[in-house]
Amino acid sequence: MTTTMTQAMFKNFLGNSPVWYKQTIIAFLVINPILLFATNPVVAGWVLIFEFIFTLAMALKCYPLQPGGLLAIQAIVIGLAGPETVYHEINNNLEVILLLMFMVAGIYFMQSMLLFIFTKLLLNVKSKILLSLLFSIVAAFLSAFLDALTVTAVLISVGVGFYSVYHKVASGKHHDTEHDHTDDAKLDSGRKADLLKFRAFLRSLLMHGAVGTALGGVCTVVGEPQNLLIANKAGWDFLEFFMVMAPVSMPVLAAGLLACFVVEKFKICDYGTLLPDSVREILTSFDQEQEAKRTQRDRATMYVQIAVAIFLILGLAFHLAAVGLIGLTVIVLLTAFNGITEEHQIGKAFEEALPFTALLVVFFAIVSVIHEQHLFTPIIQAVLDMPRDVQPGMFFIANGVLSAISDNVFVATVYINEVVAALQSGKIDREQFNVLAIAINTGTNLPSVATPNGQAAFLFLLTSALAPLIRLSYGKMVFMALPYTIVMSLVGYYAVSNFL
């Protein structure tokens, strides 16, 4: 059957996305100009926002950059925002863009050190409860000083590595043999029960680690992209940001770790599965082989990574330069002293960061529509007209709900800009601005663990090669995140309402 040009173009449009999704995006693009002409820019602007949130919520069907970018381009073409306003937004948030471009790429070159840390934890700690707590604590600490996406990437690498090693041996092959670990056909029937337990074990550890990135990510300016954006608007440096967030972030951290203990102890929501002894023996044997193969050059690489990691922490703590510039320094140091000199080797480090950086610029285009059409002004004014002591809690709830269903960077960008405008107009004073900025930051970081839509680290895990191997679906992730969502949201709301 001959394919017509129209059919070919439709198949190419948004690639392998479902047909209904393609049709929906086309419908959006057709409706928007008609709606603008038939009603007014405010109505058309609100519809555009809901359409954009739809693309974020459907990120598993198609990466939001393409459909969201088409909506943003159309918004500029039909006059809902001007290119000058978009450029102004980008210019104001250049430090956030530099953070995503260079810091995430810089941490990429530390992966062998981070992989080493998590490997030793997995094999040397026998207690599942203690191991879960350590995974969560280490992920929280690393995310506070590095980047949640990179820490999650390391967790995924550890999970895929160990799963493939066990699957290979369970299929009757040696460590060094070629093997497809996605195929269970040749699996030893006597090891299938252990494989099911191993999958459940890895699922729980990966979820503890992913939640740990949220617990640590809320604490510092580099933990999540929106943190730096909020810090820039508020004028807070690294230490000041940590201190102002501490009345909320520290109680939530303690409550999150307590939740980790409880779900493992009482086997709640698919947690509590132990690592089978047969699996531990295989993984330990493999680790010993790898240790024996490690050369002096490999050890030298590890020492350089440790030294640069210490520099990174000190550089951030003492605000030696803009965060993105510190990230670029990390790239130069790690590549120069570890023999990474070819362009294609360096280019791999940017594969993870640049798509999200491009998506962030699209965010700023949508934010420009919100600014020019004053879409959020009535909502913000309604909250600001409430009693002063009620406002922080309401901001926390509003940001939390929106972040759970869309994206926390987008939500934080919109709300912090509106609060800045309220400060500049004299609607609120500086003290109240600080409190609301804290509520926005914690509101976008904590309740957003409810779904993969809200947390980039969760979405990254869900769309990784590891997720199908350990049977981690969207529904399973929401189910396993539920205890954390409840605890972190309630403790966060109480702290915002009472401790600020």
Side-chain angles (χ1 to χ4, degrees):
M1 182 176 176
T2 304
T3 302
T4 66
M5 180 58 68
T6 303
Q7 291 172 329
M9 292 188 69
F10 183 77
K11 287 183 178 179
N12 287 343
F13 180 67
L14 299 182
N16 295 322
S17 304
V19 171
W20 66 264
Y21 184 85
K22 296 181 181 185
Q23 292 171 338
T24 301
I25 298 301
I26 292 172
F28 288 165
L29 295 172
V30 171
I31 289 170
N32 289 340
I34 299 173
L35 196 62
L36 177 62
F37 177 78
T39 58
N40 57 65
V42 173
V43 173
W46 271 110
V47 170
L48 177 77
I49 289 175
F50 288 122
E51 291 171 350
F52 184 70
I53 289 176
F54 170 82
T55 68
L56 297 175
M58 294 290 108
L60 297 182
K61 303 298 181 185
C62 178
Y63 191 65
L65 174 62
Q66 290 80 18
L70 289 173
L71 293 172
I73 292 169
Q74 184 185 58
I76 295 170
V77 170
I78 64 178
L80 289 177
E84 300 83 7
T85 309
V86 177
Y87 179 79
H88 180 70
E89 283 293 328
I90 295 170
N91 194 42
N92 285 345
N93 295 287
L94 181 61
E95 191 169 356
V96 180
I97 294 172
L98 291 177
L99 162 69
L100 287 172
M101 288 177 61
F102 296 134
M103 186 62 78
V104 175
I107 306 306
Y108 172 88
F109 296 109
M110 290 186 185
Q111 284 199 359
S112 59
M113 178 195 73
L114 299 173
L115 197 62
F116 177 83
I117 292 172
F118 282 106
T119 299
K120 293 306 178 185
L121 282 179
L122 182 62
L123 295 179
N124 294 326
V125 179
K126 302 296 191 295
S127 167
K128 176 64 185 305
I129 293 176
L130 179 58
L131 179 63
S132 300
L133 286 169
L134 287 174
F135 253 67
S136 190
I137 291 169
V138 171
F141 178 80
L142 291 174
S143 295
F145 286 99
L146 305 178
D147 172 78
L149 281 176
T150 304
V151 175
T152 305
V154 172
L155 293 174
I156 292 168
S157 299
V158 172
V160 171
F162 281 129
Y163 182 89
S164 62
V165 168
Y166 176 72
H167 199 277
K168 190 178 295 184
V169 174
S171 300
K173 297 181 180 179
H174 189 264
H175 297 152
D176 297 328
T177 311
E178 288 292 325
H179 177 66
D180 181 9
H181 53 257
T182 64
D183 183 10
D184 292 347
K186 297 181 180 179
L187 201 66
D188 184 344
S189 58
R191 295 187 185 271
K192 286 186 177 179
D194 283 347
L195 180 61
L196 291 177
K197 292 180 182 177
F198 188 35
R199 283 172 175 157
F201 174 83
L202 286 178
R203 273 199 308 269
S204 62
L205 278 189
L206 266 292
M207 284 302 296
H208 289 313
V211 173
T213 65
L215 292 171
V218 70
C219 298
T220 66
V221 294
V222 293
E224 293 283 351
Q226 71 268 23
N227 297 17
L228 183 57
L229 186 137
I230 291 170
N232 282 344
K233 300 293 185 183
W236 295 328
D237 61 22
F238 188 89
L239 286 177
E240 191 175 5
F241 184 93
F242 176 81
M243 295 304 296
V244 297
M245 294 299 160
V248 181
S249 62
M250 291 300 103
V252 171
L253 175 60
L257 294 177
L258 179 60
C260 176
F261 173 85
V262 171
V263 296
E264 282 293 335
K265 177 70 175 177
F266 297 102
K267 298 179 170 35
I268 299 171
C269 292
D270 199 37
Y271 292 101
T273 304
L274 303 178
L275 179 66
D277 291 336
S278 61
V279 179
R280 184 182 296 278
E281 290 173 6
I282 291 172
L283 298 182
T284 301
S285 173
F286 173 75
D287 184 55
Q288 289 171 347
E289 283 188 21
Q290 295 300 110
E291 192 70 37
K293 292 179 182 178
R294 188 168 283 122
T295 64
Q296 285 293 91
R297 188 171 179 179
D298 294 330
R299 294 187 180 91
T301 297
M302 190 80 70
Y303 293 146
V304 169
Q305 290 179 7
I306 293 171
V308 173
I310 294 171
F311 158 77
L312 173 61
I313 293 172
L314 293 175
L316 293 172
F318 292 102
H319 199 60
L320 298 181
V323 175
L325 296 182
I326 294 175
L328 180 57
T329 305
V330 166
I331 293 174
V332 172
L333 293 174
L334 288 174
T335 54
F337 286 97
N338 285 336
I340 303 170
T341 57
E342 296 183 20
E343 184 178 359
H344 73 275
Q345 292 177 300
I346 299 172
K348 288 181 180 179
F350 292 89
E351 291 177 0
E352 180 184 306
L354 288 183
F356 191 73
T357 305
L359 179 59
L360 188 65
V361 174
V362 173
F363 285 171
F364 294 146
I366 303 298
V367 170
S368 298
V369 174
I370 294 170
H371 276 184
E372 289 204 13
Q373 306 305 328
H374 307 288
L375 300 182
F376 274 52
T377 302
I379 299 174
I380 300 295
Q381 291 302 320
V383 176
L384 294 178
D385 287 337
M386 294 179 179
R388 185 182 177 98
D389 58 339
V390 174
Q391 293 174 13
M394 292 304 298
F395 267 83
F396 181 89
I397 292 173
N399 281 267
V401 171
L402 284 175
S403 295
I405 62 174
S406 58
D407 181 273
N408 50 14
V409 179
F410 173 64
V411 174
T413 303
V414 171
Y415 270 83
I416 193 63
N417 284 333
E418 292 296 330
V419 173
V420 168
L423 174 65
Q424 292 172 345
S425 67
K427 181 76 175 180
I428 59 175
D429 57 25
R430 177 67 198 200
E431 181 182 357
Q432 185 69 352
F433 169 83
N434 290 346
V435 173
L436 295 181
I438 296 169
I440 292 169
N441 184 68
T442 53
T444 53
N445 274 291
L446 301 175
S448 56
V449 301
T451 70
N453 305 334
Q455 284 280 344
F458 277 40
L459 187 61
F460 187 35
L461 173 58
L462 183 63
T463 55
S464 71
L466 178 61
L469 299 180
I470 61 176
R471 309 300 189 260
L472 184 61
S473 64
Y474 188 101
K476 176 68 76 172
M477 183 174 280
V478 171
F479 177 68
M480 295 183 73
L482 183 60
Y484 283 112
T485 303
I486 295 171
V487 170
M488 292 164 65
S489 299
L490 291 178
V491 174
Y493 173 77
Y494 182 83
V496 166
S497 300
N498 295 278
F499 297 160
L500 298 181

